[in-house]
Amino acid sequence: MDLNSGVKLKDYELYKAKFTYRTEQLKNDYKSGIISEALEMWPYKIDNEWLDFFNLFADYEHPAEEYEIAFVQYCVDMIEIEKQEGQNLRADEKIEKLSVSEIQRIYDIIQRVSKLNLEIFKDNCGLEGLLHFSWTESDVKSKLAHKTDDNFFNANLDKRGAFWELGYEKHDRMLYHVMQNVLINKKYKRELKDDVLLWCFITTLDWKVDFQNEYLRPIKILLNNNPIENHIAWQECPKKGLYIHYSKYSACAVPQYYGEHISLEDFIKETINSIYN
């Protein structure tokens, strides 16, 4: 509880307090004559410069601080995954395990991310080109506005694939999408931890752009080489008209939050109901 107001603290506020306490704890225990920049500047950055950046994503229900701390927690989780340990620990236990070098790394990542110009995507966050679909037959799109099941069943039952587009280089747009729509959405928590491409982009922001893209390309190839056979329908352009593609195969490393995936079985039921009811 916040002693000043008597209001119970939110989960993200508690996380922020525990993380800040960890930086103070390490600063007091630091034996070297030089204190890490992250330990010294963390309390200032978290309440000022970084908070201003995350205000880009805030709305009436979710303040900037919630997005900010969600990103900090995401970085902590990914670092634990890299170490292949701590994934079953509680959030506060992960904080207690953080070293000075790990906090410095998170600090550096947020410093670089907060300098990106993501505001340009605020009113135009379309993800066209983010995914590459490879079709086995002609590229036919069935617009169900005709209300006939023949369009769907004849044209879409053998479409294949949702894979990372190897030439895609607008990873900052991908990052904006995740920060705005995924970070504080609990149903995506597991998928976010598996989003290798996003984490590789975030951790290489200090590279030259051409070197970074050259590095991310083989990452995409590796991810695409682990396809799964599925029964997933891909829904496209829901505001302009309902287009459906059935993905026979897809790369399991492409999280569903980069597009709207729906069950093919559920879609068929809904389509039939909309036609005859």
Side-chain angles (χ1 to χ4, degrees):
M1 178 178 292
D2 187 339
L3 297 179
N4 293 321
S5 64
V7 177
K8 185 178 180 180
L9 293 176
K10 304 285 188 182
D11 287 345
Y12 65 84
E13 292 173 319
L14 290 171
Y15 189 94
K16 174 184 176 181
K18 290 174 181 178
F19 198 107
T20 302
Y21 174 77
R22 179 58 177 164
T23 64
E24 292 295 324
Q25 184 182 48
L26 288 171
K27 186 164 64 173
N28 293 334
D29 294 343
Y30 214 58
K31 303 302 181 183
S32 171
I34 301 176
I35 297 178
S36 164
E37 177 186 346
L39 300 183
E40 188 70 40
M41 297 298 295
W42 187 275
Y44 171 78
K45 294 286 187 177
I46 202 77
D47 285 329
N48 292 278
E49 181 180 323
W50 297 344
L51 194 61
D52 290 342
F53 168 77
F54 283 96
N55 193 54
L56 171 65
F57 310 101
D59 56 34
Y60 179 76
E61 294 183 0
H62 304 286
E65 188 178 48
E66 185 175 1
Y67 286 93
E68 178 187 43
I69 300 307
F71 187 73
V72 173
Q73 187 168 1
Y74 162 69
C75 291
V76 172
D77 289 341
M78 294 305 290
I79 287 175
E80 293 296 331
I81 289 173
E82 284 183 347
K83 296 191 299 182
Q84 297 184 338
E85 60 182 56
Q87 295 185 49
N88 296 321
L89 295 176
R90 300 192 313 269
D92 56 338
E93 292 176 325
K94 292 180 182 179
I95 293 174
E96 292 170 2
K97 286 169 55 67
L98 287 173
S99 65
V100 173
S101 61
E102 289 166 343
I103 291 177
Q104 183 68 53
R105 186 181 179 199
I106 295 170
Y107 175 90
D108 291 338
I109 287 173
I110 303 177
Q111 279 286 85
R112 292 191 291 267
V113 166
S114 65
K115 288 178 172 56
L116 293 174
N117 182 18
L118 300 185
E119 191 169 1
I120 60 175
F121 306 118
K122 186 169 185 177
D123 297 322
N124 182 23
C125 190
L127 295 176
E128 298 85 355
L130 184 59
L131 299 177
H132 170 68
F133 295 91
S134 56
W135 310 116
T136 54
E137 297 181 350
S138 60
D139 184 10
V140 180
K141 295 182 178 180
S142 294
K143 190 171 184 178
L144 295 180
H146 296 95
K147 299 295 184 183
T148 62
D149 53 352
D150 290 340
N151 281 340
F152 172 74
F153 287 106
N154 290 338
N156 288 280
L157 284 180
D158 196 30
K159 300 303 181 185
R160 296 174 188 256
F163 298 92
W164 287 114
E165 174 64 64
L166 298 186
Y168 182 80
E169 296 182 350
K170 298 179 181 178
H171 302 98
D172 49 354
R173 183 171 66 176
M174 180 174 75
L175 176 60
Y176 175 89
H177 170 72
V178 169
M179 285 184 160
Q180 181 68 73
N181 303 306
V182 178
L183 267 184
I184 62 174
N185 192 327
K186 293 182 179 179
K187 76 174 183 178
Y188 292 134
K189 190 171 183 180
R190 179 174 297 179
E191 277 195 305
L192 186 58
K193 291 181 180 179
D194 295 332
D195 195 345
V196 177
L197 184 61
L198 181 73
W199 182 241
C200 288
F201 169 66
I202 290 170
T203 56
T204 57
L205 283 173
D206 56 334
W207 295 14
K208 290 184 178 180
V209 174
D210 51 347
F211 291 163
Q212 185 189 46
N213 287 329
E214 186 178 343
Y215 164 73
L216 293 177
R217 183 180 177 89
I219 296 295
K220 296 172 192 174
I221 293 174
L222 289 172
L223 295 175
N224 285 346
N225 283 339
N226 189 24
I228 56 173
E229 185 171 357
N230 55 46
H231 299 282
I232 297 294
W234 176 270
Q235 180 174 319
E236 182 183 356
C237 303
K239 294 182 180 179
K240 298 179 182 178
L242 193 57
Y243 297 84
I244 294 292
H245 304 293
Y246 170 46
S247 291
K248 178 69 173 176
Y249 296 98
S250 65
C252 62
V254 177
Q256 293 189 14
Y257 50 69
Y258 286 121
E260 186 176 353
H261 297 61
I262 60 175
S263 162
L264 185 66
E265 182 179 356
D266 290 344
F267 169 73
I268 292 175
K269 290 179 182 178
E270 292 174 5
T271 303
I272 292 175
N273 288 334
S274 67
I275 293 172
Y276 296 106
N277 293 335

